[in-house]
Amino acid sequence: DAKTTQPPSMDCAEGRAANLPCNHSTISGNEYVYWYRQIHSQGPQYIIHGLKNNETNEMASLIITEDRKSSTLILPHATLRDTAVYYCIVRVWGYSTLTFGKGTMLLVSP
Amino acid sequence: EAGVAQSPRYKIIEKRQSVAFWCNPISGHATLYWYQQILGQGPKLLIQFQNNGVVDDSQLPKDRFSAERLKGVDSTLKIQPAKLEDSAVYLCASSLDLGQLGETQYFGPGTRLLVL
């Protein structure tokens, strides 16, 4: 079973920041937080991952709370193409299996 | 760089028939995964290969599902006989190595199976 809790859906206006929350209150010290997204009719796509420090790449930023019990994925300027299901996954370092939950359906509107 | 290729993209069969899906991972990727995604749910891992050996097949319904990766490159997933509840998208993914920090799984577009 997935060890994360995410809202089932969120809306965002095009051009605004999309902030997607994830709760992982039972996360262990050796578990990383990963984010993937799945655009309709496509396979999931890796976005970003982190352990305890905030991370940023060309796609998004990941903010992890100090106690590591929750995190937020930030898409700084959402576009219509960011409409997708976003999955937050905790994964043990050195262990490759991804356990997906139901994710958050993000709808970006004009 | 070419992505993960899967075929066919769509398949419709009747229950009790057999079906096979094919996956060609990204060149050089040692690890290959098959996932099942039922409508409205996230993908669920069925089987994981490291080169041509099985690493994890604990969630594969072995009475009807089988998979192979004979030469450590392409893989096939077979269902025989199919049931109505097998209707799903079957996703193939590959990664460079097993469990390495930062290692990313790259997914193919999937095969949509409808069992009537």
Side-chain angles (χ1 to χ4, degrees):
Chain A
D1 291 338
K3 296 178 62 176
T4 61
T5 303
Q6 299 177 254
S9 63
M10 294 185 65
D11 295 326
C12 180
E14 188 178 21
R16 305 297 294 267
N19 297 282
L20 292 93
C22 179
N23 181 285
H24 32 80
S25 58
T26 60
I27 192 169
S28 301
N30 63 346
E31 289 181 316
Y32 285 70
V33 180
Y34 282 75
W35 284 83
Y36 278 73
R37 74 178 182 184
Q38 188 172 22
I39 295 170
H40 182 63
S41 296
Q42 297 183 21
Q45 175 192 25
Y46 166 81
I47 302 174
I48 198 168
H49 75 279
L51 180 62
K52 55 184 179 181
N53 298 319
N54 297 338
E55 302 288 344
T56 296
N57 64 19
E58 65 277 7
M59 291 183 68
S61 294
L62 174 61
I63 309 298
I64 303 173
T65 58
E66 191 169 348
D67 63 7
R68 303 212 318 126
K69 292 185 177 182
S70 65
S71 61
T72 301
L73 179 74
I74 301 172
L75 307 178
H77 306 286
T79 70
L80 300 180
R81 288 175 294 180
D82 291 323
T83 292
V85 178
Y86 287 77
Y87 297 99
C88 171
I89 300 165
V90 295
R91 176 180 154 189
V92 176
W93 182 87
Y95 185 63
S96 61
T97 295
L98 296 174
T99 302
F100 290 84
K102 293 188 176 182
T104 296
M105 175 64 214
L106 175 68
L107 177 62
V108 181
S109 315
Chain B
E1 173 180 271
V4 176
Q6 291 188 246
S7 68
R9 291 296 311 276
Y10 306 91
K11 190 73 177 178
I12 301 174
I13 62 172
E14 296 187 348
K15 60 183 179 183
R16 291 187 290 273
Q17 286 187 324
S18 62
V19 64
F21 313 126
W22 173 81
C23 173
N24 181 240
I26 293 173
S27 178
H29 279 196
T31 310
L32 185 147
Y33 313 78
W34 283 102
Y35 290 83
Q36 179 193 59
Q37 185 172 24
I38 294 172
L39 187 64
Q41 299 181 19
K44 182 185 82 171
L45 180 70
L46 291 175
I47 189 168
Q48 176 181 327
F49 292 93
Q50 173 78 355
N51 297 309
N52 61 350
V54 175
V55 174
D56 183 358
D57 63 356
S58 58
Q59 298 199 76
L60 187 73
K62 298 181 185 64
D63 57 334
R64 298 184 299 106
F65 285 65
S66 64
E68 60 183 12
R69 193 184 184 200
L70 292 176
K71 296 184 179 180
V73 181
D74 294 4
S75 177
T76 56
L77 176 69
K78 297 179 181 178
I79 307 175
Q80 181 178 12
K83 293 185 175 181
L84 297 178
E85 59 261 36
D86 298 332
S87 294
V89 176
Y90 290 85
L91 294 159
C92 179
S94 69
S95 63
L96 192 59
D97 206 341
L98 178 66
Q100 296 299 308
L101 177 61
E103 156 264 311
T104 298
Q105 291 187 27
Y106 297 86
F107 286 79
T111 296
R112 293 181 178 273
L113 173 67
L114 178 60
V115 182
L116 302 175

